[in-house]
């Protein structure tokens, strides 16, 4: 009787003790990875240009929670982004959504580059055409004075 | 008492800056050089007085005089000494004083150094410098004084923002300001040239080393900022396209364009108006950057506390300087109609022009992105965020183009390149690029941007190495020595060129680091308890202990993580979650292990009271190439500035 | 440089400075709302004081003023008196309901706050931030006015005091209760 009580007590002690019997290998789930990917596209509204994955703000944490919940319910990443867009407007995306006047900054740089390149090309060609090409002819014949002086120098 | 001495000195400096402008005007009117000398003396006195001002502030910080408002707001009795000194430029008012102090140092130096060789334009130079100093001092004395008292005196200060208590952060503002202010010297010379009408190549030659020095300081300042962000913010990133980061990047882009464009003016005496335009834009962007950071117009991690009244003054000041500068340029440009002689589109002159195009489009892109939220809000009342995904997408092609041009420019002849010379210089580099791409693709790298970047980097790198190799060989043959002595001879005989090529190599190294650490970064976030482990890339990370630690002015929860490669223990990493005592601000301290020139970057964003830690591991491949590249760039510039003077300089 | 380029330069500079000037008076952190005219999300949460479940559904067909606050928020304290006064003004109208939403707060802190500053209307707790996110809230205090059809008609970010108090009471709530059109331009 005493043996079994002792045994039970030891067993209880082992099972309730704070140190883990088995160290676990932790890993991210596919859901974790998806949450991260979507969170990186959403802006933290109370931070300065941070996305909700980077931010430590409570609102960012709650928004990540909402993303996770919705993913669990089967929503697609686009649905989730749509949801946030409907609540906060375009500001909530980390980059300007490509519609309407926002196309201006998406294509702006390339227009500037191509347009600038063309203008530059035209300008440089204009300069090239306007530049007289160096004379390829033989040097001009010496005049009488120079020729005599040269002969005198060569003789001395 | 000391702080009042400082305050008084700054006020006298303000008065003297007006005198400096007046005496310069008189020097021009009466043609009496004594007035110019008075102006020089005034500038020198301004430098001395601002030194006193700075010293009085430093002193007040060191003795922890909390009766000074600025000291109370930015330090604390427990703040370590090192950071107590750097706290002087930790806030808006003190950093402005640092700005104008550095301006007075450089201005005085420039005036004394060039006094004998540039006598005619000196009055103009002094006047321009004093005008800029005047503008800043008015702001400091009337709207942003670090010299105000605080009564009743608090028992202790509020403490310096913990994020600023970091070595890189100490050097970042002074470096950055030396860059901005450094560009004010060629700017002032340019203004002097415009006002005086003496628009020869003089001012470019004289300011060439100033420009290179300023460029180095600005580059270093920006890289230090990135370095700080990487180590201190605990995110594993070094550039966020934050509005204030952009505010320093824009002058850098245009400054680099200017740095290259003046080479054409030196060699071919062309593009005078263009170079004047570029330096004015560069300095204007530095000033606009100052405005953006301190006015509250944009939201940013960095913005100082703001105030529309102060913002309005800065806007008026900056607007006046820029308006007058461009006005002078427009008016004088009519006198500068030069016939541009270009022999061919395929020439070094042409490549430099395309270099400028790309740099300016880059700067315009950053400018547009930074201001677009403001523009949209003003016009439509809607709000958008222009964040890193936008900039990364849009900037990449421009950067690739620039890197490609970098491999062409130095190796294409002036005036006109024949097809033969093109083949000789570029066939191998073009091939080398292709080879590298194939090699990397075979090893599994398939990302389009990584491959494009590799092509361009390999192309440019090969061009640089090939050219240097050929020339070194020539020197070796001529001196009948080995190739290493040949390299040395080649380098010292053309130090300016090859130091610059070294800087270009630094850029390539930096770019490789950026490509690897951005595209191939891996991240994992897990919740774990003591005894648990997780794997990231090929490494196993195990949490062995959680305990509390204390520092001078902070307390923290620290996790001890062991990092394994297979069965080998590589290191122990101790990331912390800190709380600073005075302000109760939490910070995440990262723990980093360098391996294979990259980093294993570990942070512990959260620890629950029950002992559950959230661990975040990031692998940043080749991140050390980013900092290494920066160092190589700096080395190149130093070797450039320290080159022996040649006869025609 | 040609006259054309000179003109372009001057225009760009003028435009830039006009933009900067405009920007000085704005608030870069303010987010304009996209919810005006949309259906108000039917949210629910436990009452701060009693623990009973309150649901917005209960108040369908009435004009609802929804006020987000937190015990740690300074500006909420500033507007508290005003908000209570507002409730007094309309509490006798059977078509008017006032609801508070306690945002990102700890229950004991919230209860202590209400005890200390007093309240005359119920408050629901936003347990996981879902209510706030549904309403596009990013800070406190924020106040919404929902009409009898359940549509969000007005939103204000900031304390409802002084001029804003007058606007909300006279130009928004009063007309809505009388089924009249509202004027959102204050």
């Amino acid at each position: 009787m005493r043996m079994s009580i002792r045994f039970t007590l030891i067993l209880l002690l082992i099972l309730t003790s704070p140190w883990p019997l088995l160290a676990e290998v932790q890993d991210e789930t596919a859901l974790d990875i998806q949450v991260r990917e979507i969170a990186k596209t959403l802006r933290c509204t109370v931070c300065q240009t941070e996305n909700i994955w980077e931010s430590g703000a409570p609102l960012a944490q709650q928004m990540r929670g909402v993303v996770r919940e919705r993913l669990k319910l089967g929503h697609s990443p686009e649905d989730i982004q749509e949801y946030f867009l409907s609540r906060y407007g375009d500001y909530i995306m980390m980059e300007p959504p490509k519609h309407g006047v926002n196309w201006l900054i998406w294509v702006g740089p390339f227009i500037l580059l191509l347009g600038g390149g063309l203008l530059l090309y035209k300008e440089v060609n204009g300069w090239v055409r306007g530049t007289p090409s160096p004379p390829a002819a033989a040097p001009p014949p010496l005049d009488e004075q120079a020729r005599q002086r040269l002969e005198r120098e060569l003789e001395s | 008492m000391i702080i009042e001495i400082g305050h008084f000195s700054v006020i006298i400096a303000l008065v003297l800056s007006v005198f400096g402008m007046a005496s310069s005007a008189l020097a021009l009117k009466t043609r009496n050089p004594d007035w110019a000398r008075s102006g020089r003396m005034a500038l020198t006195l301004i430098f001395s007085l601002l030194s006193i001002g700075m010293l009085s502030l430093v002193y007040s910080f060191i003795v922890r005089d909390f009766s000074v408002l600025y000291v109370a707001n930015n330090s604390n009795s427990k703040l370590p000494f090192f950071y107590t000194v750097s706290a002087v430029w930790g806030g808006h008012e003190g950093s402005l004083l640092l700005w104008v102090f550095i301006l007075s140092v450089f201005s005085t130096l420039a005036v004394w150094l060039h006094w004998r060789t540039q006598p005619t334009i000196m009055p103009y130079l002094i006047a321009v410098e004093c005008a800029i100093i005047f503008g800043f001092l008015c702001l400091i004395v009337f709207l942003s004084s670090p010299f105000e008292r605080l009564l009743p005196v608090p028992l202790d200060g509020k403490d310096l923002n913990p994020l600023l208590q970091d070595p890189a952060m100490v050097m970042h503002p002074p470096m950055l300001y030396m860059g901005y202010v450094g560009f004010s010297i060629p700017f002032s010379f340019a203004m002097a040239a415009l006002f005086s009408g003496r628009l020869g190549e003089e001012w470019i030659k004289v300011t060439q080393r100033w420009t290179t020095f300023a460029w180095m300081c600005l580059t270093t300042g920006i890289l230090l900022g990135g370095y700080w962000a990487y180590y201190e913010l605990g995110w594993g990133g070094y550039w966020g396209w934050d509005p204030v980061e952009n505010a320093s990047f824009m002058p850098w882009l245009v400054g680099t364009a200017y740095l290259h464009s003046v080479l054409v003016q030196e060699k071919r005496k062309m593009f005078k108006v263009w170079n004047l335009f570029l330096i004015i834009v560069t300095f204007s962007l530095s000033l606009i950057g100052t405005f953006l950071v301190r006015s509250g117009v944009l939201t940013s991690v960095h913005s100082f506390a703001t105030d529309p009244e102060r913002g309005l003054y800065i806007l008026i000041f900056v607007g006046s300087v820029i308006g007058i500068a461009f006005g002078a340029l427009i008016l004088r440009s009519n006198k500068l109609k030069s016939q541009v002689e270009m022999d061919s589109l395929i020439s070094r002159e042409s490549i430099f022009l395309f270099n400028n195009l790309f740099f300016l489009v880059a700067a315009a892109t950053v400018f547009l992105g930074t201001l677009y939220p403001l523009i949209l809000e003003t016009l439509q009342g809607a709000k958008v965020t222009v964040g890193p995904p936008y900039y990364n997408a849009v900037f990449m092609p421009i950067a690739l183009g620039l890197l490609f041009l970098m491999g062409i420019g130095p190796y294409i002849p002036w005036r006109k390149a024949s097809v033969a010379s093109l083949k000789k210089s570029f066939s191998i580099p073009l091939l080398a690029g292709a080879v590298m791409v194939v090699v990397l693709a075979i090893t599994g790298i398939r990302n389009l941007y990584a491959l494009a970047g590799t092509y361009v980097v390999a192309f440019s790198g090969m061009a640089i190495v090939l050219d240097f190799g050929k020339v070194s060989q020539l020197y070796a043959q001529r001196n009948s020595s080995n190739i290493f002595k040949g390299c040395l001879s080649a380098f010292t005989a053309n130090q300016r060129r090859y130091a610059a090529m070294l800087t270009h190599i630094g850029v390539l190294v930096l770019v490789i680091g950026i490509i690897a650490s951005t595209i191939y970064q891996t991240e994992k976030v897990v919740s774990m308890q003591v005894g648990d482990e997780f794997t990231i890339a090929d490494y196993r990370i195990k949490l062995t202990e959680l305990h509390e630690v204390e520092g001078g002015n902070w307390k923290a929860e620290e996790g001890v993580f062991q990092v394994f490669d297979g069965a080998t223990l590589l290191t122990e990493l101790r990331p912390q979650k800190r709380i600073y005592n005075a302000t109760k601000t939490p910070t995440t301290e990262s723990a980093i292990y360098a391996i294979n020139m990259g980093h294993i970057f570990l942070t512990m964003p959260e620890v629950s009271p029950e002992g559950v830690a959230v661990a975040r591991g990031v692998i940043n491949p080749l991140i050390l190439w980013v900092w290494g590249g920066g160092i190589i760039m700096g080395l190149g510039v130093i070797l450039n500035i320290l080159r022996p003077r040649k006869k025609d300089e | 440089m040609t006259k054309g380029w000179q003109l372009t330069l001057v225009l760009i500079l003028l435009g830039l400075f006009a933009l900067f000037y405009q920007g000085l008076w704005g608030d870069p952190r303010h987010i304009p709302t996209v919810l005006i005219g949309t259906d108000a999300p039917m949210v629910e949460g436990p009452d701060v004081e009693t623990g009973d479940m309150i649901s917005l559904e209960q108040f369908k067909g009435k004009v609802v003023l929804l006020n987000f606050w937190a015990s740690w928020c300074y500006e909420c304290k500033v507007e508290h008196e005003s908000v209570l006064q507002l409730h007094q003004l309309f509490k006798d109208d059977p078509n008017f309901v006032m609801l508070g939403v306690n945002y990102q707060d700890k229950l004991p802190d919230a209860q202590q706050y209400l005890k200390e500053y007093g309240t005359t209307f119920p408050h629901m707790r936003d347990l996981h931030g879902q209510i706030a996110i549904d309403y596009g809230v990013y800070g406190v205090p924020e106040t919404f006015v929902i009409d009898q059809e359940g549509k969000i008609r007005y939103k204000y970010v900031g304390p409802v005091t002084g001029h804003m108090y007058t606007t909300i009471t006279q130009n928004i709530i009063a007309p809505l209760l009388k089924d009249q059109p509202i004027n959102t331009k204050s």
Side-chain angles (χ1 to χ4, degrees):
Chain A
M1 194 59 173
R2 279 219 189 118
M3 274 296 278
S4 56
I5 291 176
R6 215 180 283 170
F7 180 67
T8 319
L9 283 170
I10 293 175
L11 193 63
L12 274 169
L13 197 67
I14 293 175
L15 288 174
T16 57
S17 67
W19 40 267
L21 286 171
L22 275 172
E24 284 179 44
V25 177
Q26 302 288 356
D27 204 352
E28 285 179 331
T29 62
L31 184 67
D32 290 330
I33 296 176
Q34 255 197 315
V35 170
R36 173 173 42 239
E37 273 166 30
I38 299 177
K40 279 190 170 169
T41 64
L42 296 170
R43 185 204 173 124
C44 167
T45 48
V46 297
C47 324
Q48 341 267 28
T49 331
E50 274 179 305
N51 58 49
I52 61 172
W53 181 252
E54 290 171 353
S55 167
L59 179 60
Q61 206 172 19
Q62 288 172 337
M63 283 170 77
R64 290 199 297 270
V66 169
V67 172
R68 182 178 287 268
E69 283 309 309
R70 286 181 173 242
L71 277 173
K72 276 194 200 155
L73 287 172
H75 294 206
S76 73
E78 289 75 33
D79 290 337
I80 298 177
Q81 287 175 340
E82 261 311 304
Y83 166 69
F84 279 104
L85 275 167
S86 72
R87 307 289 98 204
Y88 288 93
D90 286 349
Y91 188 70
I92 202 72
M93 301 303 293
M94 280 304 280
E95 54 181 36
K98 298 186 175 102
H99 58 70
V101 67
N102 293 339
W103 274 113
L104 196 72
I105 53 165
W106 280 104
V107 296
F110 300 110
I111 294 182
L112 276 175
L113 197 58
L114 287 171
L118 255 131
L119 273 171
L120 188 60
Y121 178 75
K122 281 215 187 106
E123 191 82 9
V124 173
N125 268 337
W127 291 334
V128 171
R129 264 179 268 123
T131 303
S133 40
L142 291 169
D143 64 7
E144 219 22 71
Q145 235 186 346
R147 200 168 67 82
Q148 281 175 355
R149 205 177 70 209
L150 199 59
E151 279 179 6
R152 256 182 276 127
E153 279 170 17
L154 284 172
E155 275 160 35
S156 57
Chain B
M1 189 58 211
I2 301 280
I3 201 78
E4 270 78 28
I5 294 177
H7 193 187
F8 193 57
S9 307
V10 171
I11 294 178
I12 300 183
L14 175 64
V15 174
L16 278 176
S17 68
V18 179
F19 177 77
M21 290 190 270
S23 73
S24 298
L26 280 166
L28 290 169
K29 205 165 168 111
T30 65
R31 295 178 194 275
N32 185 345
D34 285 329
W35 279 118
R37 279 199 201 93
S38 300
R40 182 179 67 175
M41 179 54 54
L43 201 55
T44 316
L45 276 172
I46 290 174
F47 156 66
S48 318
L49 289 165
L50 289 180
S51 308
I52 297 177
M54 279 296 288
L55 285 170
S56 75
L57 202 56
V58 173
Y59 176 81
S60 304
F61 267 94
I62 294 179
V63 300
R64 327 249 174 193
D65 182 357
F66 297 124
S67 71
V68 179
L69 178 62
Y70 185 70
V71 176
N73 281 340
N74 290 289
S75 72
N76 178 277
S77 54
K78 299 272 192 321
L79 188 65
F81 179 79
F82 186 54
Y83 296 127
T84 307
V85 175
S86 74
V88 172
W89 51 84
H92 163 71
E93 293 84 356
S95 68
L96 269 181
L97 188 61
L98 181 69
W99 216 107
V100 75
F101 170 67
I102 296 177
L103 183 59
S104 71
V105 171
F106 282 19
S107 308
T108 311
L109 199 62
V111 168
W112 281 94
L113 273 177
H114 303 291
W115 185 260
R116 282 214 196 91
T117 53
Q118 305 292 317
T120 345
I121 52 118
M122 272 302 148
Y124 294 102
L125 195 70
I126 296 173
V128 172
E129 298 285 5
C130 285
I132 304 174
I133 292 175
F134 173 72
F136 272 94
L137 285 180
C138 279
L139 176 62
I140 293 174
V141 169
F142 298 117
L143 290 172
S144 304
S145 173
F147 301 110
E148 278 177 30
R149 287 280 187 188
L150 175 64
L151 295 167
V153 181
L155 282 172
D156 210 339
K158 283 198 195 144
D159 206 7
L160 180 64
N161 186 333
L163 290 175
L164 301 181
Q165 296 182 30
D166 173 277
M169 242 357 227
V170 169
M171 278 318 291
H172 166 69
M175 265 298 168
L176 213 54
Y177 295 172
M178 286 205 282
Y180 292 147
V181 173
F183 278 114
S184 81
I185 304 296
F187 171 78
S188 304
F189 270 92
M191 294 313 295
L194 278 173
F195 288 142
S196 66
R198 311 187 106 242
L199 290 156
E201 276 66 50
E202 277 305 297
W203 71 273
I204 297 259
K205 278 218 187 91
V206 164
T207 55
Q208 196 264 322
R209 278 174 217 248
W210 280 105
T211 305
T212 318
F213 175 71
W215 186 88
M216 179 180 79
C217 291
L218 191 56
T219 310
T220 311
I222 294 176
L223 287 172
L224 277 174
Y227 187 88
W228 166 79
Y230 181 75
Y231 285 89
E232 185 62 30
L233 290 183
W235 199 253
Y238 41 85
W239 186 259
W241 295 107
D242 177 89
V244 171
E245 289 172 332
N246 295 348
S248 68
F249 195 42
M250 289 186 276
W252 184 89
L253 287 166
V254 185
T256 310
Y258 170 71
L259 189 76
H260 288 87
S261 183
V262 295
L263 293 172
V264 181
Q265 187 164 343
E266 256 185 76
K267 183 90 183 182
R268 297 286 317 282
K269 318 251 185 291
M270 299 196 309
F271 307 149
K272 282 191 194 134
V273 174
W274 182 242
N275 287 325
L276 286 164
F277 175 76
L278 282 178
I279 186 61
I280 293 177
V281 174
T282 305
F283 190 61
S284 301
L285 285 170
S286 318
L287 289 179
I288 291 180
T290 305
F291 167 73
L292 288 175
V293 176
R294 298 165 193 273
S295 62
V297 169
L298 296 170
T299 164
S300 153
V301 211
H302 288 68
S303 9
F304 296 101
T306 61
D307 171 4
E309 198 187 68
R310 186 188 281 171
L312 185 61
Y313 170 78
I314 301 178
L315 184 62
I316 294 175
F317 168 49
V318 165
S320 312
V321 174
I322 297 178
I324 294 175
F326 279 114
L329 180 66
I330 289 179
L331 289 172
R332 282 287 187 207
S333 70
N334 299 321
K335 292 212 180 111
L336 282 170
K337 290 223 191 307
S338 57
Q339 179 61 10
V340 179
E341 278 187 20
M342 283 280 269
D343 294 299
S344 164
L345 184 66
I346 320 286
S347 62
R348 196 177 300 183
E349 296 89 325
S350 180
I351 297 290
F352 271 124
L353 283 175
F354 278 93
N355 152 310
N356 276 191
L357 173 71
F358 273 80
F359 271 117
L360 285 179
V361 171
T365 303
V366 177
F367 200 62
L368 195 60
T370 309
L371 291 181
Y372 186 68
L374 186 60
I375 296 174
L376 194 66
E377 195 184 357
T378 309
L379 292 178
Q380 280 194 351
K383 258 279 177 46
V384 284
T385 299
V386 180
Y390 166 78
Y391 288 107
N392 289 334
V394 153
F395 211 74
M396 194 81 65
I398 301 177
L400 288 174
L402 274 170
L403 290 168
F404 190 68
L405 286 174
M406 194 172 85
I408 303 180
Y411 311 110
I412 201 171
W414 291 100
R415 289 194 175 270
K416 187 174 183 156
S418 64
V419 177
S421 76
L422 286 177
K423 274 203 195 136
K424 207 168 89 162
S425 302
F426 300 114
S427 334
I428 298 184
L430 284 170
L431 197 63
V435 166
M436 274 312 283
V437 168
V438 168
V439 165
L440 280 186
I442 292 177
T443 63
I445 297 193
R446 297 292 155 85
N447 181 297
L448 208 63
Y449 288 124
L451 290 175
T454 305
Y455 183 84
V456 155
V457 167
F459 167 77
S460 296
M462 195 61 192
I464 297 176
V465 167
L466 204 63
D467 168 77
F468 188 59
K470 277 190 208 155
V471 175
S472 301
Q473 201 165 40
L474 278 173
Y475 273 85
Q477 275 174 356
R478 200 173 74 176
N479 302 337
S480 317
S481 59
N482 61 37
I483 188 69
F484 296 111
K485 286 226 177 75
C487 286
L488 202 61
S489 314
F491 190 86
T492 47
N494 303 287
Q495 192 154 333
R496 188 177 180 189
R497 176 182 170 88
Y498 289 114
M501 295 306 105
L502 185 62
T503 303
H504 280 184
I505 295 212
V507 173
L508 292 177
V509 171
L510 174 76
V511 167
I512 296 176
I514 292 178
I515 294 177
S517 63
T518 311
I519 298 182
Y520 292 100
Q521 183 186 66
T522 43
E523 178 186 352
K524 222 173 228 196
V525 177
V526 288
S527 295
M528 52 201 305
Q529 291 181 310
V530 172
D532 292 343
E533 61 176 53
F534 69 98
T535 53
I536 180 168
D538 298 318
Y539 308 104
R540 260 192 318 130
I541 303 187
K542 181 170 174 162
L543 176 61
T544 57
E545 206 184 316
L546 271 180
H547 55 227
E548 286 185 14
V549 267
E550 261 184 61
N553 51 345
W554 51 264
K555 288 198 184 60
E557 286 271 0
E558 187 178 83
V560 181
F561 292 83
Q562 289 181 330
V563 182
F564 293 93
D565 182 2
T568 342
L569 174 67
L570 292 175
T571 186
E572 232 177 41
L573 290 176
R574 292 163 182 256
Q576 297 173 351
K577 182 91 190 151
R578 259 188 215 180
I579 305 228
Y580 278 78
N581 303 331
T583 49
K584 302 273 176 282
T585 320
T587 60
T588 318
E589 301 294 316
S590 50
I592 301 173
Y593 180 67
I595 184 170
N596 297 332
M597 295 184 289
H599 275 166
I600 302 177
F601 186 97
L602 192 63
T603 55
M604 201 172 63
E606 275 167 51
V607 183
S608 77
E610 298 87 34
V612 177
V614 175
R616 181 170 172 265
V618 178
I619 307 287
N620 285 318
L622 295 187
I623 184 82
L624 290 178
W625 284 49
V626 175
W627 316 126
I631 293 176
I632 297 175
M633 282 165 77
L635 187 64
V637 174
I638 292 175
L639 288 171
N640 190 329
I641 296 183
L642 293 180
R643 70 181 184 269
R645 269 184 204 278
K646 289 207 165 148
K647 264 177 276 171
D648 62 347
E649 283 186 352
Chain C
M1 86 176 85
T2 62
K3 285 279 186 292
W5 285 114
Q6 288 177 6
L7 194 63
T8 317
L9 183 60
V10 172
L11 284 175
I12 292 178
L13 285 174
L14 285 174
L16 199 61
F17 288 111
L19 184 71
F20 286 150
Y21 181 75
Q22 236 346 80
L24 280 173
W25 313 111
D27 177 4
R29 310 257 228 123
H30 174 74
I31 308 174
T33 184
V34 295
L35 295 174
I36 305 290
T38 64
D39 291 322
M42 289 289 125
V43 290
E44 60 179 25
D47 186 308
V48 174
E49 289 167 309
T50 68
D52 300 328
M53 200 52 112
I54 314 174
S55 164
L56 205 59
E57 197 86 36
Q58 296 163 237
F59 308 108
K60 248 191 182 157
K62 305 207 176 150
V63 173
V64 181
L65 187 109
L66 205 60
N67 174 263
F68 285 78
W69 61 274
S71 64
W72 44 262
C73 153
Y74 172 73
E75 301 221 301
C76 305
K77 290 194 185 79
V78 166
E79 71 163 5
H80 196 81
E81 274 305 311
S82 246
V83 166
L84 289 178
Q85 207 177 354
L86 200 153
H87 186 225
Q88 286 299 98
L89 203 60
F90 292 107
K91 73 175 190 320
D92 293 323
D93 189 322
N95 287 320
F96 180 76
V97 174
M98 187 118 150
L99 273 181
V101 180
N102 182 236
Y103 171 76
Q104 282 181 16
D105 218 344
K106 297 198 183 83
L107 184 59
D109 295 336
Q111 287 172 331
Q112 175 64 24
Y113 180 89
L114 288 178
K115 219 183 255 166
E116 197 176 323
Y117 294 97
T119 185
T120 52
F121 54 89
H123 302 265
M124 62 170 113
R125 286 178 62 209
D126 184 6
L127 294 167
H128 304 290
Q130 182 65 55
I131 301 180
I133 293 174
D134 272 340
Y135 276 84
V137 166
Y138 58 93
V140 273
E142 287 192 26
T143 305
F144 293 81
V145 180
I146 304 168
D147 71 10
Q148 292 96 326
E149 274 83 51
K151 295 226 188 287
I152 299 176
R153 299 298 294 276
Y154 191 73
K155 170 182 173 175
Y156 183 67
V157 175
V160 177
T161 54
H163 178 69
M164 200 22 73
Y165 176 88
T166 319
T167 304
I168 288 194
T169 50
Q170 290 180 359
N171 299 356
I172 314 288
I173 302 180
L176 278 178
L177 286 171
K178 296 190 209 128
D179 272 324
Q180 284 170 359
I182 63 173
N183 171 24
T184 50
K185 296 212 195 318
S186 50

